[in-house]
């Protein structure tokens, strides 16, 4: 059996972001007769009461609940717990480049590391200068000490190859997956869609959807501002709404700014966090999904919305282009988004884009294929030890 530890996230069951969903999907698909998995949960976020989840051992440990120390402190405590309790991992799968400072410790204890680096985290506006410099330095540590770096987009892979001269055999591209059929079937089992829409005051096929953490680099403010301006130009938009789905710890000032920006406009609806079946219901009843994020590799929510057959309006970045290609629409500023909102409402063949997005997600972003790629990567690492 290959013993693998899942480090660096809030844990499972998935109830926060893409990293947690990624772990959840892998647990379902990695062969139980070949892999023994341990997942480390942060119990100040996720109080999962059982010792096992989808065949994996779940260990709940604390973190230091402070913006800069939350993730790395929990990863450190998880490593120390493992060593102290004689849990000898063959491989540590670690999410978040901010954990890179601990990679030398994993190496000291003889644990091979697979680091999922996401995008260029240091560019995120939520970080002040010191934190941004730390995350930039973390990339260099990752390039030096991770046994394998996983990039979820080719753009991110090329960034590491060009900026840190990582050898080709130490960095691999494995993308992120979309919503699978089982998720959709589960959503169908839990209540009807109309009831959820009514709860939030939304009208089917009459709202633009934003989903993500409410932090500056995800730019929900861009959608709110563009929508308010577009309504004054395109009368047909007066019957539409914007649904802002998400929240964020440590972002009170920014969330207050968003509420002030909306100016009490009742057509702008803040739902807070909505997960699982509720997330799917809100997604498939939207007119279209708007991705404003300017930082990161493959955005999980983008792939998920594609797999649900949504119309996509997407910020024009290399990673977003790589994922969406010609199956959606792109904008590069608040003004261009304003015009795009009016354009898509009046588009004659808009349903064609739903079909193209769904087909592309099915072909390139399948969790079965992604899990198979990780399983093969783990096997190769163990063989090479």
């Amino acid at each position: 059996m290959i013993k693998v530890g899942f480090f660096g996230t809030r844990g499972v069951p998935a109830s926060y972001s893409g990293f947690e969903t990624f772990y959840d999907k892998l647990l379902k698909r990695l062969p139980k007769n070949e892999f023994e998995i341990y997942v480390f949960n942060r119990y100040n976020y996720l109080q999962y009461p059982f010792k096992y989840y989808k065949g994996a051992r779940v260990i709940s440990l604390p973190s230091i609940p402070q913006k800069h120390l939350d993730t790395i402190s929990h990863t450190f405590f998880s490593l120390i717990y493992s060593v102290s309790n004689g849990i000898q991992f063959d491989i540590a799968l670690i999410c978040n480049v901010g954990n890179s400072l601990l990679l030398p410790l994993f190496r000291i204890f003889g644990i091979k590391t697979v680091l999922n680096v996401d995008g260029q985290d240091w560019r995120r506006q939520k970080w002040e200068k010191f934190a941004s410099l730390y995350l930039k330095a973390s990339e260099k540590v990752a390039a030096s000490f991770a046994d394998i770096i996983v990039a979820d987009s080719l753009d991110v892979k090329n960034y590491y190859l060009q900026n840190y001269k990582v050898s080709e055999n130490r960095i691999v591209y494995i993308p992120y997956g979309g919503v699978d059929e089982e998720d959709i079937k589960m959503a169908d089992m839990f209540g009807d869609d109309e009831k959820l829409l009514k709860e939030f005051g939304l009208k089917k096929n009459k709202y633009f959807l934003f989903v993500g953490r409410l932090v500056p680099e995800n730019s929900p403010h861009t959608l709110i501002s563009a929508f308010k301006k577009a309504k004054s130009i395109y009368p047909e938009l007066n019957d539409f709404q914007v649904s802002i789905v998400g929240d964020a710890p440590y972002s009170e000032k920014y969330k207050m700014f968003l509420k002030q920006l909306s100016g009490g406009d009742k057509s702008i609806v803040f739902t807070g966090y909505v997960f699982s079946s509720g997330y799917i219901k809100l997604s498939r009843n939207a007119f279209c999904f708007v991705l404003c994020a300017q930082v990161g590799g493959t955005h999980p929510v983008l792939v998920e919305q594609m797999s649900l057959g949504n119309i996509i309006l997407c910020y024009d970045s290399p990673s977003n282009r790589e994922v969406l290609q010609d199956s959606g629409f792109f904008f590069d500023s608040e003004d261009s988004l304003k015009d795009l909102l009016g354009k898509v409402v009046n588009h004659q063949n808009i349903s064609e884009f739903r079909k193209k997005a769904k087909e592309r997600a099915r072909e390139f972003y399948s969790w079965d294929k992604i899990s198979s790629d990780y399983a093969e990567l783990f096997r190769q690492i163990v063989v090479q030890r």
Side-chain angles (χ1 to χ4, degrees):
M1 294 282 279
I2 299 173
K3 189 174 289 189
V4 185
F6 284 11
F7 295 81
T9 75
R10 288 166 176 80
V12 294
S15 61
Y16 185 74
S17 72
F19 280 146
E20 286 78 20
T21 300
F22 160 56
Y23 277 174
D24 207 319
K25 298 298 185 184
L26 283 190
L27 290 182
K28 175 187 174 184
R29 291 168 171 82
L30 290 175
K32 303 293 189 294
N33 63 344
E34 189 176 358
F35 296 97
E36 182 181 355
I37 309 294
Y38 288 67
V39 183
F40 292 93
N41 280 14
R42 291 182 221 172
Y43 68 53
N44 44 326
Y45 283 96
L46 185 61
Q47 296 180 3
Y48 182 67
F50 306 108
K51 291 184 177 181
Y52 289 89
Y53 176 75
K54 293 185 178 179
R57 179 76 166 89
V58 177
I59 299 172
S60 295
L61 297 171
S63 65
I64 299 174
Q66 193 271 343
K67 181 177 179 180
H68 304 105
L69 299 175
D70 195 8
T71 298
I72 196 168
S73 66
H74 182 260
T75 303
F76 176 74
F77 295 151
S78 301
L79 174 60
I80 297 304
Y81 178 93
S82 304
V83 173
S84 300
N85 287 273
I87 305 172
Q88 298 179 333
F89 290 116
D90 297 297
I91 298 166
L93 175 59
I94 307 168
C95 288
N96 195 324
V97 73
N99 284 308
S100 296
L101 189 65
L102 299 175
L103 292 175
L105 269 182
F106 281 89
R107 181 171 289 186
I108 287 170
F109 292 118
I111 304 170
K112 293 288 185 179
T113 52
V114 175
L115 179 69
N116 188 311
V117 293
D118 196 17
Q120 298 168 39
D121 203 31
W122 59 272
R123 292 181 56 202
R124 300 183 191 276
Q125 295 177 45
K126 68 178 179 179
W127 303 121
E128 60 271 19
K129 187 174 182 180
F130 174 79
S132 182
L133 289 171
Y134 167 79
L135 290 167
K136 189 75 168 67
S138 294
E139 293 180 349
K140 190 174 292 187
V141 177
S144 299
F145 288 96
D147 291 289
I148 297 291
I149 293 173
V150 176
D152 62 13
S153 81
L154 293 172
D155 181 58
V156 171
K157 179 180 178 179
N158 290 332
Y159 170 79
Y160 274 84
L161 288 172
Q162 294 168 11
N163 288 276
Y164 299 107
K165 311 302 180 187
V166 179
S167 60
E168 286 274 3
N169 65 334
R170 286 188 52 239
I171 184 163
V172 299
Y173 161 65
I174 305 178
Y176 191 88
V179 175
D180 54 33
E181 290 300 319
E182 184 179 337
D183 296 324
I184 295 171
K185 289 177 182 177
M186 287 293 289
D188 291 336
M189 291 173 60
F190 292 98
D192 60 65
D193 293 22
E194 287 296 329
K195 182 178 179 181
L196 183 69
L197 294 181
K198 187 176 180 180
E199 178 184 337
F200 292 117
L202 296 169
K203 294 173 286 186
K204 180 179 173 64
N205 207 36
K206 285 289 186 177
Y207 59 93
F208 298 96
L209 178 68
F210 169 94
V211 179
R213 288 194 292 270
L214 302 187
V215 292
E217 67 270 12
N218 285 341
S219 302
H221 61 272
T222 300
L223 174 57
I224 293 171
S225 294
F227 177 68
K228 291 178 70 176
K229 291 177 181 177
K231 283 200 299 181
S232 66
I233 302 171
Y234 303 97
E236 52 269 52
L237 285 175
N238 287 321
D239 194 34
F240 278 76
Q241 300 167 281
V242 165
S243 178
I244 305 292
V245 178
D247 205 327
Y250 316 121
S251 295
E252 296 307 318
K253 287 184 179 179
Y254 182 67
K255 288 188 287 186
M256 187 179 298
F257 162 71
L258 292 177
K259 294 291 179 68
Q260 291 171 345
L261 183 63
S262 66
D265 188 337
K266 292 184 179 180
S267 65
I268 300 171
V269 180
F270 293 86
T271 69
Y273 285 130
V274 181
F275 298 111
S276 305
S277 63
Y279 164 64
I280 291 173
K281 291 175 189 294
L282 285 179
S283 299
R284 67 187 180 189
N285 285 285
F287 173 71
C288 75
F289 168 73
V290 185
L291 179 69
C292 299
Q294 301 178 22
V295 180
T298 297
H299 291 282
V301 68
L302 174 57
V303 180
E304 290 166 357
Q305 294 296 320
M306 290 169 62
S307 67
L308 288 166
N310 234 330
I311 299 162
I312 312 289
L313 312 186
C314 192
Y315 180 78
D316 196 353
S317 72
S319 292
N320 292 342
R321 281 273 179 185
E322 177 189 323
V323 175
L324 189 60
Q325 293 199 1
D326 65 347
S327 58
F329 301 85
F330 292 92
F331 61 92
D332 58 12
S333 66
E334 182 183 306
D335 278 343
S336 63
L337 175 57
K338 173 198 67 181
D339 295 332
L340 190 54
L341 294 175
K343 178 182 175 181
V344 294
V345 168
N346 293 299
H347 200 288
Q348 295 300 310
N349 300 307
I350 199 70
S351 60
E352 288 296 316
F353 288 90
R354 295 184 185 276
K355 182 180 178 182
K356 288 172 72 173
K358 193 166 188 175
E359 288 176 350
R360 178 164 174 77
R362 185 183 297 116
E363 182 176 358
F364 294 101
Y365 301 101
S366 156
W367 279 116
D368 289 339
K369 172 65 165 61
I370 291 161
S371 300
S372 176
D373 288 346
Y374 271 96
E376 184 57 32
L377 175 63
F378 294 158
R379 294 183 192 110
Q380 292 174 6
I381 291 171
V382 171
V383 168
Q384 293 168 4
R385 291 192 69 165

